[in-house]
């Protein structure tokens, strides 16, 4: 049974891992963020398939990344990039938290909540073709584990020996932010000491085609991919799809101090809500009132006022909704223009990693708290006039700056009219 934990228990981040289009691993990712380096590239396969958007973000995963967390037997006939990304990020987070692998005992105090939107689309496509060709017996034994949504959390649980709750959440673009908050609440309720949380998203035409068909993707920068993802820009032309994963080890402060673990940041609180597809909200567009309520309730949950926020890592997708989101931040934080926090979109460098976006961008947020810097929002040199009227240019830097980031808020607003905001703070004993 889990030990009884007080509702006043503090929850901290002790480990992180990341697989992003512009960097695999924390050090490479941080360097890319500081340098303003894009991970968006031209993808010939998309051109061959006549996509309107022929650029995207594919993480530069190498074989040594895979070998560090999956055995040769596990990766035989493996074709689920989302699980691989999640495993690499989770493995790094576990080791980053100074936790051991390889024990024969499962740990009833450690659980996993790791989200995804889909799993193994390429594997599923190949399998369906074999079924149609009456070759069912040749499918092999690993189709199910690669294509079930909970495959990623199952693989991670086996890797670390998790004996508490092991599950997969799925809430479109809000998935990663939601996973962290679900794990946080699980710990606060006294059900576990430690949770490995995060989210992942694979890449490829079968996943991205729907967005291309909706014409919400960037289609004007196929010949200049690094300029294609343009959140908050006057010339933003739509989102750039990407893949990747982010992972966190979160645990009680007591547990972290007891084992002398590194503490990256503290999770102060947050909120998850839905606009109910009312008041302008639809399956593909957010209810503006629910977005604002999510921000307000997240601040209330964290016990901080808008004036205490030093950094906003927004959802900001390079679509027509960017000005509306910025207006919501301005109204709900309730601070003067001169006191407005730094505002950024990690998507400017990695694209929109869909179900993996919240977790990847949360890693970026935590890194900035940990190392006192603000990464640039590249490609927004021509700031949208509605945003420029609300936020000073210097609050949306085009190059990395050194700055003390004590408290930051991360937001994700997803398809289905679902929202998530989480507040992180620099750890202070």
């Amino acid at each position: 049974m889990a030990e009884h934990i007080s509702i006043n228990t503090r929850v901290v981040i002790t480990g992180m891992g990341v697989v992003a289009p512009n960097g695999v691993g924390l050090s490479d990712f941080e360097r890319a963020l500081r340098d303003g380096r894009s991970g968006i590239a031209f993808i010939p396969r998309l051109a061959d398939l006549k996509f309107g958007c022929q650029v995207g973000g594919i993480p530069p995963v190498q074989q040594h990344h895979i070998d560090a967390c999956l055995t040769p037997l596990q990766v035989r006939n493996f074709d689920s990039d989302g699980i691989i990304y999640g495993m690499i990020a989770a493995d790094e987070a576990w080791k980053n938290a100074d936790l051991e692998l390889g024990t024969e005992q499962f740990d009833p105090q450690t659980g996993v909540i790791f989200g995804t939107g889909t799993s193994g689309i390429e594997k599923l496509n190949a399998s369906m073709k074999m079924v149609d060709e009456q070759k069912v017996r040749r499918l092999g034994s690993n189709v199910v584990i690669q294509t079930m949504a909970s495959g990623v959390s199952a693989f991670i649980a086996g890797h670390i020996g998790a004996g508490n709750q092991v599950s997969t959440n799925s809430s479109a673009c809000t998935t990663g932010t939601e996973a962290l908050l679900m794990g946080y609440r699980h710990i606060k309720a006294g059900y576990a000491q430690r949770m490995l949380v995060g989210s992942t998203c694979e890449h490829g035409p079968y996943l991205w085609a729907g967005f291309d068909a909706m014409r919400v993707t960037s289609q004007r920068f196929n010949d200049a991919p690094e300029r294609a993802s343009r959140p908050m820009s006057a010339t933003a032309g739509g989102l750039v799809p990407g893949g990747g994963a982010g992972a966190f080890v979160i645990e009680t402060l007591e547990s972290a101090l007891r084992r002398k673990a590194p503490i990256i940041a503290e999770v102060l609180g947050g909120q998850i809500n839905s606009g109910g597809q009312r008041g302008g909200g639809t399956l593909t567009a957010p209810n503006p009132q629910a977005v604002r309520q999510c921000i307000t309730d997240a601040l209330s949950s964290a016990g901080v006022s808008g004036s205490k926020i030093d950094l906003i890592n927004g959802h900001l997708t390079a679509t027509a909704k960017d000005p509306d989101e910025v207006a919501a931040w301005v109204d709900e934080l309730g601070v003067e223009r001169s006191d407005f926090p730094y505002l950024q979109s990690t998507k400017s460098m990695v694209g929109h990693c869909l179900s993996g976006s919240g977790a990847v961008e949360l890693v970026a947020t935590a890194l900035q708290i940990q190392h006192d810097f603000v990464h640039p929002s590249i490609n927004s040199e021509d700031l949208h006039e509605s945003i420029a009227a609300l936020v000073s240019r210097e609050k949306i830097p085009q190059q990395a700056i050194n700055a003390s980031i004590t408290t930051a808020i991360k937001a994700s607003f997803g398809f289905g009219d679902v929202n998530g905001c989480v507040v992180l703070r620099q750890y202070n004993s």
Side-chain angles (χ1 to χ4, degrees):
M1 293 180 62
E3 65 180 32
H4 175 72
I5 299 175
S6 166
I7 195 68
N8 295 319
T9 294
R10 295 165 69 179
V11 178
V12 293
I13 298 170
T14 54
M16 298 192 298
V18 67
V19 175
N22 64 346
V24 177
L26 294 173
S27 59
D28 286 350
F29 185 52
E30 181 186 345
R31 198 156 44 242
L33 294 177
R34 288 182 180 272
D35 293 344
R37 186 172 76 243
S38 173
I40 307 304
F42 176 74
I43 302 174
R45 188 182 181 192
L46 299 182
D48 293 342
L49 293 170
K50 307 300 182 186
F51 273 55
C53 178
Q54 299 168 6
V55 299
I58 301 177
V61 168
Q62 303 296 317
Q63 189 61 46
H64 69 87
H65 296 124
I66 299 172
D67 292 342
C69 56
L70 288 162
T71 68
L73 180 60
Q74 286 176 315
V75 297
R76 184 181 299 171
N77 298 319
F78 206 93
D79 199 6
S80 179
D81 290 315
I83 292 177
I84 289 175
Y85 296 161
M87 280 289 286
I88 294 170
D91 179 73
E92 182 181 29
W94 194 253
K95 293 171 181 174
N96 184 238
D98 283 349
L99 291 163
E100 295 182 359
L101 293 167
T103 175
E104 290 300 315
Q105 297 296 320
F106 71 92
D107 181 3
Q109 289 293 338
T110 295
V112 176
I113 300 177
F114 212 91
T116 187
T118 57
S119 184
I121 286 184
E122 294 280 354
K123 186 71 174 180
L124 189 60
N125 177 56
S127 298
M128 286 190 293
K129 289 178 179 178
M130 291 183 71
V131 171
D132 290 341
E133 294 169 1
Q134 302 178 17
K135 299 177 180 177
V136 176
R137 293 175 182 271
R138 293 177 56 186
L139 285 176
S141 60
N142 61 4
V143 171
V144 173
I145 193 66
Q146 290 188 55
T147 58
M148 69 184 196
S150 58
V152 63
S153 54
F155 268 94
I156 291 170
H159 189 57
I160 66 172
N164 202 276
Q165 176 181 345
V166 174
S167 60
T168 293
N169 66 308
S170 187
S171 299
C173 316
T174 307
T175 300
T177 305
E178 180 186 74
L180 188 141
L181 282 169
M182 290 173 71
Y184 165 81
R185 291 172 175 178
H186 193 69
I187 293 172
K188 292 281 280 188
Y191 296 128
Q193 285 183 9
R194 181 181 303 107
M195 298 293 290
L196 198 157
V197 299
S199 68
T200 187
C201 185
E202 53 198 36
H203 68 268
Y206 299 115
L207 178 60
W208 295 345
F211 297 96
D212 205 71
M214 290 174 65
R215 304 197 178 199
V216 296
T217 54
S218 175
Q219 303 189 9
R220 300 200 304 264
F221 292 90
N222 290 333
D223 59 346
E226 293 184 355
R227 297 176 55 213
S229 187
R230 309 181 65 79
M232 297 184 284
S233 165
T235 51
L239 64 86
V240 174
F248 297 85
V249 173
I250 58 175
E251 59 187 297
T252 66
L253 176 60
E254 291 85 352
S255 171
L257 293 176
R258 184 164 58 245
R259 64 184 192 84
K260 299 180 180 179
I263 296 177
I264 296 166
E266 183 173 1
V267 184
L268 292 187
Q271 179 64 301
I272 309 162
N273 77 359
S274 169
Q277 299 169 43
R278 304 290 192 274
T282 68
L283 280 169
T284 58
N287 176 337
Q289 183 57 42
V291 167
R292 291 166 183 255
Q293 192 69 52
C294 190
I295 295 169
T296 299
D297 290 348
L299 293 171
S300 177
S301 167
V304 299
S305 65
S307 63
K308 297 297 184 182
I309 299 297
D310 303 306
L311 173 68
I312 300 167
N313 189 292
H315 187 57
L316 300 167
T317 57
T319 63
K321 294 298 181 181
D322 285 5
D324 294 341
E325 181 183 335
V326 174
W329 287 115
V330 170
D331 290 347
E332 299 313 309
L333 264 59
V335 297
E336 297 295 327
R337 181 183 175 93
S338 59
D339 296 325
F340 197 75
Y342 291 109
L343 174 66
Q344 66 184 189
S345 176
T346 306
K347 292 182 182 72
S348 65
M349 290 177 274
V350 301
H352 193 333
C353 297
L354 305 176
S355 59
S357 63
V360 170
E361 294 162 22
L362 269 166
V363 172
T365 305
L367 281 171
Q368 291 170 97
I369 292 173
Q370 185 181 23
H371 298 296
D372 287 323
F373 75 101
V374 177
H375 78 59
S377 292
I378 66 172
N379 301 323
S380 62
E381 64 280 351
D382 57 337
L383 203 59
H384 192 287
E385 61 179 9
S386 297
I387 296 174
L390 295 172
V391 180
S392 300
R393 170 77 266 184
E394 62 269 19
K395 296 296 186 177
I396 308 173
Q398 289 294 286
Q399 294 182 332
I401 61 172
N402 295 322
S404 178
I405 304 299
T406 301
T407 309
I409 186 167
K410 167 70 198 136
S412 299
F413 308 125
F415 272 20
D417 197 9
V418 292
N419 311 302
C421 290
V422 62
V423 181
L424 304 181
R425 182 176 64 189
Q426 194 175 83
Y427 169 65
N428 186 335
S429 58

